[in-house]
């Protein structure tokens, strides 16, 4: 880098070097668990900003939004839509949730398999030391980040596919059935079915999986709701409550 900026004016070199050193120190001192989540958030931010460019709107709609039916339907959008957010509130909420729980999920995924430890040590003693948090050289292996990214993407794909199948197998037939009767075209059920086959996007499914993994891995951990920050709740109860609300929403057709 020194050779690159050697020809720059001093008035530019000094602030550039300061910014470079500051960012480098922040990167080097940030745990890998946080860097993985920040990397996903950063990519999501780029996609979010791309939605703000008017001339890219058509391409973004075709390649970063999953259409379960219609001419814009593409298999690749099952994955790309996971990293796509149109509204600031949606992007901000998902980013906060991923940053809050992504590190815990990453930490659990970095834990070595007990059988692998035994194979290396040749005894069961290393297993007890592991569960006693004496991780030794296994903590923070270089394979954890791609493992976490693979988990996040797989969870997002599973969520997108589940939504797609739900639309194609249940919601779309209901819409077609309602539209086949002219007297029912304007009914609330037809309108609800029509809104149900609209395109989808967002990382909520993948983040939900990250939260669930965290609650299963660390059941004694406590969390606080945004609107009740001073009331700690066991993470297991929090996830169970979210599942109950979402299940009820599916039954009642909430948006």
């Amino acid at each position: 880098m020194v050779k690159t900026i050697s020809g720059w004016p001093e008035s530019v070199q000094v602030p550039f070097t300061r910014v470079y050193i500051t960012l480098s120190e922040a990167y080097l001192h940030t745990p890998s668990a946080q860097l993985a989540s920040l990397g996903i958030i950063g990519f999501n931010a780029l996609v979010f900003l791309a939605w703000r460019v008017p001339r890219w709107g058509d391409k973004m709609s075709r390649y970063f939004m999953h259409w379960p039916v219609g001419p814009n339907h593409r298999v690749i959008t099952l994955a790309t839509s996971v990293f796509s957010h149109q509204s600031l509130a949606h992007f901000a909420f998902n980013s906060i949730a991923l940053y809050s729980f992504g590190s815990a999920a990453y930490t659990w995924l970095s834990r070595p398999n007990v059988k692998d430890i035994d194979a290396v040590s040749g005894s069961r003693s290393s297993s007890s030391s592991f569960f006693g948090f004496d991780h030794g050289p296994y903590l923070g292996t270089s394979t954890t980040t791609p493992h976490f990214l693979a988990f996040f993407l797989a969870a997002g794909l599973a969520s997108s596919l589940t939504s797609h199948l739900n639309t194609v197998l249940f919601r779309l037939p209901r819409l077609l059935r309602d539209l086949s009767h002219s007297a029912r075209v304007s009914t609330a059920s037809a309108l609800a079915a029509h809104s149900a086959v609209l395109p989808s996007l967002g990382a909520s499914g993948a983040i939900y999986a990250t939260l669930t993994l965290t609650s299963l891995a660390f059941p004694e951990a406590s969390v606080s709701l945004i609107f009740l920050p001073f009331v700690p709740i066991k993470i297991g109860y929090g996830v169970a409550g979210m599942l109950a609300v979402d299940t009820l929403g599916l039954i009642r057709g909430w948006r």
Side-chain angles (χ1 to χ4, degrees):
M1 189 195 72
V2 176
K3 293 182 178 180
T4 302
I5 67 174
S6 60
W8 296 4
E10 186 176 350
S11 58
V12 177
Q13 287 188 33
V14 174
F16 177 84
T17 303
R18 289 176 178 174
V19 172
Y20 178 81
I21 293 175
T22 301
L23 294 178
S24 298
E25 289 181 346
Y27 174 80
L28 293 174
H29 289 86
T30 301
S32 298
Q34 293 182 5
L35 286 177
S37 297
L38 289 174
I40 296 175
I41 294 172
F43 183 75
N44 290 351
L46 293 177
V47 177
F48 173 75
L49 292 176
W51 276 107
R52 312 268 77 79
V53 181
R55 64 177 180 173
W56 293 354
D58 183 58
K59 291 184 178 180
M60 295 298 296
S61 179
R62 282 186 291 170
Y63 294 103
F64 282 90
M65 180 180 284
H66 182 68
W67 299 76
V69 294
N72 285 331
H73 170 68
R74 289 174 174 81
V75 175
I76 192 174
T77 55
L78 287 171
T80 57
S81 63
V82 174
F83 305 94
S84 181
H85 302 80
Q86 280 186 310
S87 70
L88 178 60
H90 190 196
F91 168 69
F93 182 81
N94 278 351
S95 296
I96 294 173
L98 177 58
Y99 186 79
S100 300
F101 300 104
S103 296
Y106 184 104
T107 300
W108 187 85
L109 290 173
S110 69
R111 298 174 64 169
N113 188 292
V114 174
K115 293 181 180 179
D116 294 338
I117 300 177
D118 293 336
V120 173
S121 65
S123 66
R124 299 296 297 180
S125 60
S126 59
S127 300
S128 60
S129 65
F130 169 71
F131 289 109
F133 301 101
D134 181 15
H135 298 283
Y138 297 98
L139 183 61
T141 62
S142 59
T143 60
T144 303
T145 296
H147 191 183
F148 175 76
L149 296 178
F151 164 78
F152 186 87
L153 179 58
L157 284 170
S159 175
S160 296
L161 182 59
T162 300
S163 176
H164 174 87
L165 293 177
N166 185 40
T167 297
V168 173
L169 298 179
F170 301 103
R171 294 176 174 178
L172 181 60
R174 185 170 68 232
L175 172 61
L176 296 177
R177 183 174 61 251
D178 289 343
L179 293 179
S180 64
H181 301 280
S182 58
R184 300 177 60 187
V185 171
S186 299
T187 62
S189 61
L191 293 176
H194 177 264
S195 64
V197 298
L198 292 177
S200 61
L201 75 170
S204 300
I207 294 173
Y208 215 132
T210 303
L211 171 59
T212 303
L213 173 61
T214 302
S215 68
L216 294 174
F218 306 100
E220 297 302 319
S222 297
V223 296
S224 298
L225 302 178
I226 295 177
F227 48 86
L228 290 173
F230 304 107
V231 181
I233 302 174
K234 283 289 184 64
I235 189 171
Y237 296 148
V239 173
M242 292 175 62
L243 287 173
V245 171
D246 285 347
T247 302
L248 182 60
L250 288 173
I251 298 175
R252 300 298 299 273
W254 295 346
R255 296 291 293 170

